[in-house]
Amino acid sequence: GITEAKEELQEIVEFLKTPEKYSRLGGRIPRGVLLQGAPGTGKTLLAKAIAGEASVAFFSIGGSDFVEIFAGVGASRVRELFAEAKKSTPCLIFIDEIDAIGGRRSGGQSGGSSDEREQTLNALLVEMDGFDTEDTVIMIAATNRPDILDPALLRPGRFDRRITLSLPDVKGRLKILEVHAQKIVTVPAMDLAAIARSIPGFSGAEIANLVNEAALNAARHNKEAVDMADFEEAKDKIVMGLERRSIVVSEQDRRLTAYHEAGHAIVGLMLEETDPLHKITIIPRGRAMGLTQQVPLDDRLTYSRDYLLNRIAILMGGRAAEALVFNRLTTGASNDILQATDIAARLVGEWGMSVELGPVAYRHSGEGFLGDSGQQRPHSEMTARRIDEEIRKLVGDCYDQAADLLKKHNRFLHKFAEALLLNETMDAE
């Protein structure tokens, strides 16, 4: 699932094997390569693969190995590492989680620990720049926080290449599934492509975990081979949490949950630009009392305004159904409201899709891959009030839209909820 990244790194391996191919035209090999991407996309795995392919000396160390309580130890470790590497050129140095030592320098207003880290970083900067031209020492580093790295570390001559490893697309997921599925016993007619389609946003590490969970599930039920039902169960367990069948749910709460999930599902069915429904359940899982799962047909790279507003309306469908049928509000919709507010806030503040406030960004998301929320840009109190009002208006309008749809399809809502109470779990069909 990372073809482009492999091609870039293949070049480095080739250079280490046949340097004259590149040097005859006067080019020089990149000194350093920074692998950046979300956790579990295979940064460390890729470095291991390069070590195996290049058949040269390989030094591997974690960023935190340099961090020490005693002053000067980190810097001396950096010097030792490079001295060792220069003795056995050509070679590769791999530093995992480089953000532990490579963070921005603070300009001297810091305490002792930060000061020590800066000494380590300075030593690293000097060593990376101070190679003799004869020494073929290539540095590979991995991080999922490129946004906090020091600019001096990222300049060409130190890290010439920054390779982003993205989450695998559907073809990539299928290939990763095939690799891991070889290690377990599966039924002959296993449709791995269908599984790959149903897990958008899964990283390589999560796919490996999914296959393992499916195998453990089959073993738990004393099966001869792993089948589709095991994969479905494993996927639900990872995405939604463990089934809590032992929990005692009162009849009133079950009815409430059934109408809540039916509200989500009906709004999802009635609106045009949405992801197709996949599964609805009123069996408590993880911290949720029930769940309505939608799975996109293909990987989305961009989202339209209509899609996002429909998404908010679907999230509001549960609360609207509760209010319509029972005329009371419960805490069951708390997570839906949280998600809906977040989408609305990003619509207004980050993606510039507000009609009132125009195409202006009032916050921006960092470049990190750890799901950090956006940072606020400075703006006046009046603008802040307008942003709040716009968010409230967007969510309110979507709630009204969901409520109108459920009133219009009232009989369907009751039938749907009854069917859910009877079956507990229903798929899209």
Side-chain angles (χ1 to χ4, degrees):
I2 44 171
T3 322
E4 294 85 359
K6 276 195 298 195
E7 282 170 11
E8 288 268 312
L9 291 161
Q10 208 87 43
E11 212 169 80
I12 288 169
V13 174
E14 259 183 58
F15 180 85
L16 290 165
K17 288 180 177 170
T18 55
E20 56 280 355
K21 178 181 169 184
Y22 293 91
S23 56
R24 69 188 172 84
L25 296 174
R28 64 165 185 82
I29 194 67
R31 290 273 176 79
V33 179
L34 182 69
L35 304 174
Q36 57 188 36
T41 44
K43 299 183 289 293
T44 313
L45 208 59
L46 204 50
K48 285 181 185 170
I50 298 164
E53 293 259 326
S55 54
V56 294
F58 186 81
F59 298 89
S60 173
I61 192 163
S64 59
D65 295 346
F66 294 111
V67 181
E68 198 62 79
I69 194 167
F70 305 109
V73 173
S76 72
R77 277 191 192 156
V78 171
R79 289 192 289 273
E80 278 168 29
L81 172 68
F82 279 87
E84 200 65 36
K86 282 173 189 172
K87 283 179 199 164
S88 43
T89 58
C91 73
L92 287 164
I93 297 175
F94 175 58
I95 300 183
D96 205 358
E97 306 298 350
I98 197 170
D99 44 276
I101 54 164
R104 280 171 203 275
R105 288 166 289 184
S106 55
Q109 287 101 34
S110 57
S113 62
S114 181
D115 209 32
E116 163 59 12
R117 204 198 65 214
E118 286 176 13
Q119 300 300 337
T120 311
L121 173 59
N122 288 340
L124 184 65
L125 295 175
V126 169
E127 289 291 347
M128 282 187 76
D129 231 13
F131 295 155
D132 297 331
T133 35
E134 289 79 51
D135 291 338
T136 314
V137 179
I138 295 175
M139 175 103 144
I140 298 169
T143 181
N144 36 37
R145 291 298 312 274
D147 52 320
I148 65 163
L149 292 179
D150 195 89
L153 192 62
L154 298 175
R155 75 153 172 80
R158 290 196 178 110
F159 283 114
D160 300 277
R161 286 192 183 170
R162 289 173 71 172
I163 299 174
T164 303
L165 301 180
S166 48
L167 292 167
D169 60 6
V170 68
K171 289 179 193 158
R173 292 197 295 272
L174 177 59
K175 284 183 175 166
I176 298 168
L177 266 171
E178 283 167 355
V179 169
H180 292 295
Q182 284 170 6
K183 299 171 192 167
I184 62 170
V185 182
T186 56
V187 292
M190 179 60 95
D191 187 4
L192 290 177
I195 300 166
R197 274 197 306 277
S198 71
I199 48 171
F202 266 48
S203 67
E206 286 169 325
I207 294 170
N209 185 33
L210 172 76
V211 175
N212 188 47
E213 283 288 349
L216 295 177
N217 193 58
R220 199 178 300 127
H221 294 111
N222 300 319
K223 292 183 182 176
E224 294 299 312
V226 183
D227 57 23
M228 278 300 272
D230 296 311
F231 271 100
E232 271 296 317
E233 178 56 38
K235 189 179 75 190
D236 290 348
K237 189 175 168 185
I238 290 167
V239 175
M240 309 194 262
L242 206 60
E243 264 192 17
R244 302 196 337 235
R245 284 189 176 272
S246 57
I247 190 173
V248 180
V249 183
S250 69
E251 190 53 38
Q252 188 184 13
D253 279 353
R254 271 190 83 229
R255 288 195 78 78
L256 196 80
T257 306
Y259 276 98
H260 181 103
E261 298 309 325
H264 285 314
I266 289 170
V267 176
L269 283 168
M270 297 303 162
L271 291 173
E272 285 295 308
E273 205 177 322
T274 58
D275 293 328
L277 281 176
H278 178 64
K279 182 183 277 187
I280 304 128
T281 178
I282 57 166
I283 299 164
R285 275 183 177 276
R287 292 170 65 183
M289 292 299 286
L291 276 143
T292 302
Q293 199 183 14
Q294 291 171 286
V295 174
L297 290 172
D298 45 21
D299 295 352
R300 283 181 181 274
L301 299 174
T302 55
Y303 299 95
S304 70
R305 188 173 188 273
D306 290 348
Y307 173 86
L308 293 163
L309 291 174
N310 289 350
R311 183 89 198 93
I312 298 173
I314 294 165
L315 287 163
M316 287 291 152
R319 166 60 68 92
E322 286 178 23
L324 182 70
V325 178
F326 301 96
N327 197 20
R328 56 193 286 218
L329 304 177
T330 70
T331 57
S334 61
N335 193 37
D336 300 333
I337 293 168
L338 200 68
Q339 284 186 52
T341 311
D342 186 55
I343 294 170
R346 296 182 78 175
L347 259 167
V348 176
E350 205 173 306
W351 299 321
M353 291 181 180
S354 155
V355 180
E356 283 286 306
L357 295 160
V360 180
Y362 297 100
R363 62 180 215 165
H364 69 101
S365 50
E367 206 196 333
F369 293 92
L370 295 177
D372 47 351
S373 58
Q375 294 122 6
Q376 291 288 353
R377 289 193 181 285
H379 47 71
S380 67
E381 282 182 25
M382 195 175 125
T383 307
R385 188 182 295 128
R386 285 182 67 195
I387 291 169
D388 291 342
E389 282 167 4
E390 185 68 6
I391 292 168
R392 197 180 300 124
K393 183 177 179 295
L394 279 176
V395 177
D397 290 352
C398 290
Y399 178 86
D400 293 342
Q401 185 188 11
D404 290 346
L405 274 171
L406 293 174
K407 277 178 195 156
K408 198 171 158 191
H409 301 282
N410 200 352
R411 285 182 61 194
F412 183 29
L413 174 65
H414 288 290
K415 277 186 174 176
F416 204 123
E418 291 303 327
L420 260 179
L421 284 165
L422 208 65
N423 301 310
E424 291 196 325
T425 300
M426 285 157 66
D427 61 8
E429 294 302 312

